[in-house]
Amino acid sequence: MTIRGQRPRLLFVHAHPDDETLATGVALAHHVARGDEVHVLTCTLGEEGEVIPAPLAHLEGAAGDPLADHRRGELAAAMRSLGVVHHLLGATSGDDRPTWRDSGMAGSAAAEHPRAWAGADLDEAAAAVRAVIEQVCPDVVVTYDATGGYGHPDHVRTHDATVRAIAGMTVRPALYVTLTPQSWVLEDREWLAEHVPQDRGLIVPGPHAPFATSVVPDAVVTHVVLDPSVVAAQSRALRCHETQVVVGDGWYALSNHVVSRLAGREGYGRFDPLTAQLLEQEESP
């Protein structure tokens, strides 16, 4: 992403703790290293997350949502590690929980919770996001594409709320959404097949495995952040999210044991909040 001016300010809007480092960790670390001012807004505390370490399994699904407070600590550690400024949607102090709650995966009973983010009134959600945007005054806002990356209802709500928030502003920051070129996915699968240990019960997607919904033809991706030097910083931040992520040498896995590559590159597309359409490339990234 090319931004003119001195010390640009960026705001990344995400649904749950760890999403920021998984989906945009390269851009976060890259822009911090450049000396830019980087902010992250998290909309929920990931109360429905699936816990990986056995010693922490008691947190999953427990009464009172103790996983929320644990993941808040993980998120704070990751933000310190990356060197970004963090905001929690609707929280007015460091001890407050956000206005909305993790809705769980599609079809989850958690979607019926009265505070579920996926069920939030879109105008109210957009107003809350807009308040943070107006507070931060970013040059650039980054969030998921319209499918939420892989269809997670909270990611979709985050996209919709962010788009509506910016569309209602008189002076609008540039909006980008996360996209991945198909050729990268195929290259990463080849790399994973050669580098991921075969004795750990991990799943390496085959060359014909389905793509995530945010994987698009290469030409659709108009902006790229390419910086292998920040993989170590991204990996350190991911290790802070111990309940959700297992990190290896150049790869990570979630609770489903499916591995993904840490390749030091991320793709994005410029998004028009008024037409809700991707824009064609206007300049070199």
Side-chain angles (χ1 to χ4, degrees):
M1 289 168 280
T2 300
I3 311 162
R4 293 186 174 88
Q6 295 184 347
R7 200 159 190 253
R9 186 178 299 126
L10 301 92
L11 173 64
F12 294 75
V13 186
H14 284 285
H16 316 105
D18 79 20
D19 289 335
E20 79 295 325
T21 312
L22 292 168
T24 58
V26 172
L28 292 172
H30 172 78
H31 282 283
V32 168
R34 282 188 6 161
D36 301 335
E37 184 178 333
V38 182
H39 296 248
V40 168
L41 169 61
T42 307
C43 298
T44 80
L45 284 173
E47 293 87 346
E48 294 298 312
E50 298 176 344
V51 175
I52 296 173
L56 297 174
H58 63 283
L59 297 173
E60 185 175 329
D65 286 337
L67 182 57
D69 292 325
H70 189 91
R71 294 193 72 181
R72 183 204 296 271
E74 292 181 342
L75 179 60
M79 298 299 90
R80 289 193 299 269
S81 176
L82 287 167
V84 307
V85 181
H86 184 251
H87 310 262
L88 189 58
L89 191 64
T92 57
S93 74
D95 296 328
D96 287 349
R97 291 193 176 180
T99 302
W100 290 280
R101 185 184 184 279
D102 184 354
S103 310
M105 302 294 284
S108 170
E112 302 303 319
H113 193 284
R115 290 175 47 233
W117 176 231
D121 178 86
L122 185 54
D123 287 334
E124 293 180 8
V129 173
R130 178 175 174 175
V132 178
I133 295 174
E134 291 176 339
Q135 173 191 347
V136 174
C137 295
D139 302 290
V140 166
V141 173
V142 180
T143 193
Y144 316 101
D145 75 321
T147 74
Y150 61 98
H152 194 298
D154 284 344
H155 291 208
V156 174
R157 179 53 88 212
T158 301
H159 168 89
D160 292 345
T162 304
V163 170
R164 180 166 295 194
I166 295 175
M169 299 176 69
T170 303
V171 179
R172 302 182 187 94
L175 176 61
Y176 291 84
V177 296
T178 55
L179 301 169
T180 304
Q182 290 181 1
S183 66
W184 287 9
V185 176
L186 296 175
E187 291 169 6
D188 289 350
R189 289 176 179 179
E190 290 184 8
W191 185 93
L192 290 166
E194 296 176 359
H195 292 84
V196 173
Q198 299 182 9
D199 59 351
R200 297 186 54 177
L202 299 170
I203 301 170
V204 175
H208 303 296
F211 292 133
T213 54
S214 59
V215 176
V216 296
D218 289 23
V220 176
V221 177
T222 56
H223 295 73
V224 169
V225 179
L226 179 62
D227 190 353
S229 71
V230 303
V231 169
Q234 184 185 21
S235 297
R236 285 193 299 271
L238 281 178
R239 288 189 175 94
C240 295
H241 294 289
E242 62 173 344
T243 61
Q244 307 298 304
V245 189
V246 174
V247 183
D249 186 7
W251 54 267
Y252 69 86
L254 304 180
S255 60
N256 59 6
H257 307 298
V258 176
V259 290
S260 299
R261 186 183 178 190
L262 294 167
R265 59 188 182 185
E266 290 168 353
Y268 297 90
R270 182 76 181 271
F271 197 85
D272 185 346
L274 298 181
T275 64
Q277 298 291 325
L278 288 165
L279 296 172
E280 295 183 0
Q281 186 167 351
E282 300 173 349
E283 56 187 18
S284 298

